[in-house]
Amino acid sequence: MGKLTTHVLDTALGCPGEAIKIEVYRIEEGLRQRLKVVKTNDDGRCDAPILAGEELVTGEYELVFYAGEYLVRQGVKTDEPLFLNVIPLRFGVNDASQHYHVPLLLSPYGYSTYRGS
């Protein structure tokens, strides 16, 4: 059974990204269809797979991480626009029977992602 999971790691503080809102979209014919909204737990992960089984189909997806809210809670200065606020990660699923783990490694001035296991 295929599934989609994520986690957020704060690489500046060396800890999980707790209580980060994530919007989940499927991209169809160039249009974003919002599937759900989830939030990370105290370990920086979601309590259940974001999508699993029949929910995950071949196609293009986008996870939108509301990192700015988290960064402000961590003490990042707010006297000017945040360098990173909303972070969209768009990726493809070509085999919906597999596990797609799409983590976000976050700091106030940079981020990265990869396909994990």
Side-chain angles (χ1 to χ4, degrees):
M1 172 178 80
K3 62 183 175 180
L4 171 63
T5 59
T6 190
H7 73 273
V8 180
L9 296 174
D10 184 328
T11 58
L13 297 177
C15 65
E18 182 178 353
I20 295 176
K21 180 175 89 170
I22 305 165
E23 292 179 338
V24 183
Y25 293 89
R26 182 176 297 123
I27 313 302
E28 296 184 60
E29 298 179 12
L31 300 175
R32 292 172 34 180
Q33 174 189 4
R34 189 164 85 171
L35 302 177
K36 62 175 66 173
V37 177
V38 297
K39 192 172 260 194
T40 59
N41 60 24
D42 61 354
D43 193 34
R45 299 175 184 273
C46 298
D47 290 329
I50 296 170
L51 300 173
E54 294 179 4
E55 294 178 311
L56 183 66
V57 297
T58 299
E60 193 174 12
Y61 291 85
E62 185 174 86
L63 298 177
V64 179
F65 295 83
Y66 285 81
E69 297 169 2
Y70 167 81
L71 293 169
V72 168
R73 288 194 309 269
Q74 301 312 308
V76 172
K77 290 183 180 182
T78 59
D79 57 349
E80 58 185 312
L82 292 173
F83 182 72
L84 293 176
N85 186 13
V86 178
I87 300 172
L89 297 180
R90 194 170 282 195
F91 59 95
V93 170
N94 62 14
D95 182 350
S97 69
Q98 293 186 15
H99 179 189
Y100 285 79
H101 184 66
V102 183
L104 177 68
L105 306 178
L106 173 66
S107 76
Y109 299 101
Y111 68 90
S112 66
T113 190
Y114 57 94
R115 181 173 177 197
S117 57

